[in-house]
Amino acid sequence: MRCRESDFDKIPGGVSRRDFLKVCTATAVYMGLPASLGPKIAAAATAAKKRPPVIWLSGQECTGCTETLLRATHPTVEHLILDLIALDYSETLNTGAGHQAEEYRAKSIEENKGKFILVVEGSIPVKDGGIYCKVAGKPVLEILKETAPKAAAVVAIGSCAAWGGVPSAGPNPTGATPAYKILEGTGIPVINIPGCPPNGYNFLSTVLYYVTFQKLPELDDKLRPKFAYGRLIHENCERRPHFDAGRFAEQFGDEGHRLGYCLYKLGCKGPETFNNCSTLRFNDMGTWPVNTGHPCFGCSEEGVGFNIPLHTPAEVKNVTPFAVQTPITVDHGGGGTTGAVALAAGVAGAAIGAGVVALKKVDQAEKKQD
Amino acid sequence: MSEAKPVGGKVFTGPFLFFLVITLIGIYFLAKRFMFGIGSVSNMNDGFAWGIWITYDVVVGTAFACGGYSMALLVYVFNNGEYHPLVRPALLASMFGYTLAGVSVFIDIGRYWHIYNVFLPWYTNFNSVLLEVALCIAAYIAVLWIEFSPTFLEAATGTKSKVNKLLIFFIALGILLPTMHQSSLGSVMILAGNKLSPLWWTPALPLIFLISAVTMGYTVVIFESTLSALGFKRPFETDMLAKLSLVIPILLVIFLVVRFGDLLIRGQLGLAFSGNLQGNMFLLENILHIVPLVILASATNRKNAKMLFLSACCLMLGGLLFRFNTYLIGFNPGEGWNYFPAIGEQFITYTIISAEILLYMIFVKKLPVLPSHGQAKV
Amino acid sequence: MKIKRRDFLKGAAGCGVLAAVGQPAYAEAKKKERLPGALGFLYDSTLCIGCQACMVGCKKANEMPVESTDLLPIWENPRDLSAKTLNVIKKFESGTGTNKDQETDGFAFIKRQCMHCVDPGCVSACPVSAMRKNPDTGVVTYNKDACIGCRYCQIACPFNIPKFQWDAAFPQIVKCQLCSHLLPKGEIPGCCSSCPTGATVFGPTTELMAEAKRRQQMEPGKYYDFPVSSIDSGKNFSQQAARYVPEIYGENEVGGTQVLMLAGVPFSKLGLPELPEKSYASTAETIQHTIYKGMIAPIVVLAGLFYFVNRSQKDKD
């Protein structure tokens, strides 16, 4: 689909047309879609008559997930998000506060019933009636239960919202629970974007996908979008060749560590964590824990992050022999060259020939002697 | 008893020069082997650790050198002095055969500068079959040269030496030692275990190898006697050989009975007909033993130089193939391992053979080895 | 003149008597048992993740050279054991090769190195005792000062373990020696200390055998603690037990080995040969000792031969 200048005179955020197209194409690629869909996403984003409203609820969170979105700088994604969607309520970014903010939230929910996206950041405590996290005097548990049925979809951003995260670490005194568990049986579509924090682009891509195609991307059995959480970190890690070749850092600061060897023995949980940190990385700079020299601790994986100790070796979930691993039977050569075989055959033939000749001569000589 | 005399004649004949050229080419490859390692000339590898140098030069080579042994048995134990004229040439071939087998060992082993370790008591391992083979062969080479010393003395002093008690001791030793190591050359392959085809692997290997070695001794006597007569234009020694050759069919019957009896007891005879290389080589090996048996069973054939020579050739090949089968063709270290001797490797073997032929020619022409013209009086 | 029948019969009878007298009692080589202090390691193919840390650990511990089989030598990738590689991880693959430790459409890893047999063929074979079995630990070591390079050990090993430096002017035999240079220092073999999952675990063979039997009683799919590095290290790694083949390789093969193996696929698929319980060394040694015990038979035969040869010479004079 050919794009024309006039198609994009409503690009939000004061971003140049080229940059905007770049972002949309990149987003398509992140999601595993063909790059050619980039313009379609861009068109949908700018053609939206009314920006889809978003209500952003905060439970037991550190606000890291909000911050991760705000950290992106080229282009200024906060502008993109804020102009792409109508963020009607976010405790971090609201300009208003107190009763004003709460009223605005209630109004937006009513006006946009069935159309808004509910983003949940942080886990929801359920113990003792959920008193361990209250906003405006109300337990977040109740707020979620009221709000979610009116939403079009729920996006649980961050490990806390997706499966419980830090607050749910043993002994989980507050009964921290992920959003999807609380909404089980309600039939409300929930998407989990775990990570501590998750890569901002995972969230952005999901939202753009929804806006473009009016449906949610393909999810796995843990309700995570497959384009981001379909592979283990181990499968795409740049240090994987070191793992396959047996080169490991044994201690922080040792020679192997300084040479950038695999961190499996230091407890890297890449082999049992599904995420795209190894390919997408963070901060628009390509950094991620492993390439700074610290093992992954499985922050996005339930049962791994905040559960298995940092330096305990991971269970390799998907053991895969590397492509050229030595097979059981190897051809060692040692067979004859044409020359060698010819020589041997020649000598053998000559010997047999000589024998035949000798036999004849013996016969003749014998007859002569008799 | 007829006298032994040098054959005389010029040494540098056509055949002599031919074998000399081969020897010189082989020396080039030998230099390469010692300078750059065995792998630089040979195709031996970790699966096939022994190739034609051990299989032909040592195992077959010593079998072909059993003439002295077999003749000593016949002449000195069964007291058949009439065969005495055949002893010296057989001894010569044995002396060269075994010496060159010893040289081949030196060429084949990787750490040749340690070769004397087999004599050092703090290293010797009395459980090792190969130790016994090594010590026996080393001793036997010495014994052969000692047994041959009367010939040297005769040539030097012109007088015939008397056989004294010391020489008798060495002759006795010269019968004991080959009995020990030729059978042990069979025992060596017992350790190959599952890697050796059941067609050849058996605890009876030492017995089978021994019978074969004795048979080969007589075979080689016939072979070399005929070739010498042909080559030096002398009359055939058919009368002597006719009587001698009676032993061969007897031995062959014993050989085949033991061989096939053992296979039947172990229930492995079926493998012979599997149609693969090993099965076919087994059949060929036995055909080469059965044909001479049939030929030499007839007294008329035993008096015929052509038939004698034909049988000898078949048996030489049969004995060679039996040993090649046991050490190389029947040996299978597993999938992925192959072996065929490389050009340089082959040439070193051809050199050893050529050297033996060259030395034989020189010795026979210069020393009193072969009986003088005219057949031995019976 | 025909052979004197009398002489022939005398000779034949004499030989028969000699053989009967000279033959000592059938000297069966005593079956060698595992030494009480036998050391080895247990390799569990189901715990192996194919990371090859053991290959690197071995090369480091033994100061072995890098072996690259590529045209551009930038990658260490030995294809098999060799004069440069004492320990190699290989993979078995069938069909789609997607299921670990499954025979069909699956894959599995195997670690190959010296098995440190209870009755080693190489030790029996070596004429100069270059291959020696330590009388306490049972570890089979190589002494290059004794070795003559005859390579009989290569013929005699049913596992094809000893390798030779074919391309050296002054070659040696090369094989795993269970890091016997580290054991006196209280350290453990390089492969065991570097294995992260406990697939290769060091210890006395008696304890390893008990551990192997414990694993065969495990319920497949359940999580159990597996020792890491050595059987008494105290370090454990909780992993799921796999479905094991009901056999401990090395328990009885050719008299038993000190290195034991467990796997989820049949051992023959992993390149480990099917071997009888009786070691070939004991067969060969039984024959040798029966014939040559105390050198009685050879001496008796020699005496007999001397008699016959002497007599034949007397007849002539």
Side-chain angles (χ1 to χ4, degrees), chain A:
Chain A
M1 182 179 119
R2 293 286 300 276
C3 311
R4 289 162 300 184
E5 189 69 49
S6 51
D7 287 348
F8 301 119
D9 46 15
K10 288 202 215 74
I11 295 175
V15 171
S16 76
R17 181 180 81 86
R18 160 181 280 171
D19 281 338
F20 182 62
L21 251 179
K22 254 203 221 159
V23 170
C24 292
T25 310
T27 306
V29 171
Y30 293 149
M31 291 193 279
L33 299 170
S36 51
L37 281 178
K40 181 165 184 201
I41 294 177
T46 48
K49 293 273 181 319
K50 190 165 183 268
R51 298 171 297 155
V54 172
I55 304 287
W56 193 295
L57 287 184
S58 298
Q60 293 167 305
E61 40 93 314
C62 68
T63 318
C65 299
T66 304
E67 291 294 334
T68 202
L69 287 171
L70 301 179
R71 288 308 129 232
T73 48
H74 28 272
T76 46
V77 174
E78 76 273 17
H79 285 295
L80 201 58
I81 291 181
L82 294 176
D83 293 314
L84 178 67
I85 55 178
L87 189 58
D88 285 345
Y89 180 83
S90 157
E91 283 156 31
T92 315
L93 301 171
N94 280 347
T95 25
H99 293 290
Q100 238 188 355
E102 293 304 306
E103 272 169 29
Y104 189 71
R105 174 166 67 86
K107 182 163 145 260
S108 168
I109 288 173
E110 275 314 307
E111 272 181 16
N112 299 305
K113 210 156 140 178
K115 289 196 219 109
F116 70 91
I117 297 176
L118 178 61
V119 179
V120 180
E121 183 179 352
S123 56
I124 317 288
V126 298
K127 215 144 166 235
D128 299 328
I131 58 171
Y132 300 105
C133 183
K134 284 180 171 181
V135 175
K138 228 172 167 185
V140 180
L141 176 62
E142 274 180 46
I143 300 177
L144 178 63
K145 283 193 178 156
E146 285 172 1
T147 318
K150 301 178 184 152
V154 174
V155 178
I157 184 171
S159 291
C160 299
W163 50 266
V166 168
S168 72
N172 197 353
T174 64
T177 312
Y180 80 89
K181 273 227 176 95
I182 300 201
L183 301 174
E184 225 157 22
T186 56
I188 302 164
V190 178
I191 313 166
N192 285 329
I193 312 230
C196 189
N199 190 302
Y201 287 102
N202 289 349
F203 175 80
L204 173 63
S205 306
T206 306
V207 170
L208 276 177
Y209 188 100
Y210 181 76
V211 166
T212 310
F213 300 106
Q214 298 301 307
K215 63 176 177 148
L216 296 174
E218 210 181 327
L219 304 176
D220 69 7
D221 60 347
K222 291 202 161 94
L223 306 176
R224 305 175 294 199
K226 276 189 179 166
F227 72 81
Y229 300 91
R231 288 264 170 97
L232 290 167
I233 289 175
H234 185 57
E235 290 178 60
N236 288 317
C237 178
E238 78 263 22
R239 297 195 181 191
R240 181 64 184 272
H242 290 303
F243 175 92
D244 286 334
R247 293 188 287 260
F248 296 95
E250 309 268 345
Q251 285 188 357
F252 286 106
D254 75 1
E255 200 204 340
H257 191 233
R258 274 184 272 148
L259 287 170
Y261 287 171
C262 175
L263 304 171
Y264 178 72
K265 286 194 179 183
L266 290 174
C268 181
K269 304 295 187 295
E272 54 181 346
T273 305
F274 289 91
N275 210 329
N276 57 1
C277 315
S278 46
T279 44
L280 195 48
R281 316 216 185 148
F282 295 93
N283 301 330
D284 289 339
M285 281 167 53
T287 61
W288 68 299
V290 170
N291 77 356
T292 67
H294 192 280
C296 160
F297 76 89
C299 69
S300 59
E301 197 69 25
E302 183 174 1
V304 179
F306 312 113
N307 186 23
I308 299 185
L310 275 182
H311 301 302
T312 298
E315 201 183 321
V316 182
K317 281 285 187 248
N318 188 9
V319 178
T320 319
F322 64 95
V324 292
Q325 178 125 38
T326 309
I328 299 291
T329 307
V330 174
D331 185 5
H332 292 97
T337 57
T338 336
V341 175
L343 178 63
V347 168
I352 293 178
V356 169
V357 166
L359 196 63
K360 264 216 217 90
K361 285 217 177 124
V362 167
D363 195 28
Q364 288 169 353
E366 185 174 30
K367 291 211 171 69
K368 258 208 227 131
Q369 284 179 26
D370 282 341

Side-chain angles (χ1 to χ4, degrees), chain B residues 131-247:
Chain B
L131 176 81
E132 189 242 304
V133 170
L135 293 177
C136 277
I137 289 185
Y140 190 54
I141 293 174
V143 166
L144 282 167
W145 284 86
I146 291 170
E147 280 187 348
F148 197 74
S149 58
T151 311
F152 286 123
L153 286 172
E154 231 176 82
T157 63
T159 52
K160 274 189 45 201
S161 55
K162 240 176 55 158
V163 177
N164 57 19
K165 283 283 189 289
L166 195 59
L167 198 61
I168 289 176
F169 173 71
F170 281 110
I171 293 171
L173 205 55
I175 296 171
L176 173 71
L177 290 173
T179 308
M180 286 170 68
H181 69 250
Q182 283 296 337
S183 60
S184 293
L185 277 172
S187 303
V188 160
M189 286 313 274
I190 291 179
L191 271 182
N194 61 317
K195 295 193 280 187
L196 180 58
S197 161
L199 282 172
W200 290 279
W201 189 92
T202 163
L205 265 176
L207 180 61
I208 300 173
F209 259 71
L210 181 61
I211 302 171
S212 171
V214 176
T215 316
M216 293 301 286
Y218 298 118
T219 307
V220 162
V221 166
I222 297 175
F223 182 79
E224 285 175 318
S225 161
T226 312
L227 275 184
S228 288
L230 202 62
F232 302 121
K233 297 191 174 28
R234 298 150 53 82
F236 293 120
E237 293 160 315
T238 314
D239 275 5
M240 267 197 288
L241 295 178
K243 294 195 191 78
L244 181 84
S245 57
L246 173 61
V247 184

Side-chain angles (χ1 to χ4, degrees), chain A residues 243-244 246 265 326 328 332, chain C residues 51-52 79-80 90-91 194:
Chain A
F243 175 92
D244 286 334
K265 286 194 179 183
T326 309
I328 299 291
H332 292 97
Chain C
C51 72
Q52 305 191 102
R79 306 301 282 155
D80 207 342
K90 294 178 147 206
K91 86 171 161 180
S194 53

Side-chain angles (χ1 to χ4, degrees), chain B residues 313-376:
Chain B
C313 288
C314 278
L315 256 182
M316 298 268 288
L317 273 177
L320 180 147
L321 191 56
F322 170 60
R323 285 161 176 78
F324 260 75
N325 283 340
T326 309
Y327 274 75
L328 212 48
I329 299 173
F331 187 74
N332 180 8
E335 257 189 87
W337 295 105
N338 307 293
Y339 170 73
F340 192 87
I343 292 179
E345 188 178 4
Q346 289 182 43
F347 253 104
I348 289 177
T349 296
Y350 302 146
T351 294
I352 300 286
I353 300 172
S354 302
E356 172 162 8
I357 296 174
L358 287 177
L359 286 168
Y360 189 88
M361 285 189 206
I362 295 174
F363 270 56
V364 149
K365 287 181 177 167
K366 296 293 181 202
L367 294 173
V369 177
L370 294 182
S372 50
H373 263 280
Q375 275 210 323

Side-chain angles (χ1 to χ4, degrees), chain C residues 66-84:
Chain C
V66 159
E67 182 169 0
S68 175
T69 56
D70 280 339
L71 288 168
L72 277 178
I74 54 174
W75 185 256
E76 205 208 16
N77 60 346
R79 306 301 282 155
D80 207 342
L81 294 174
S82 72
K84 293 182 183 164

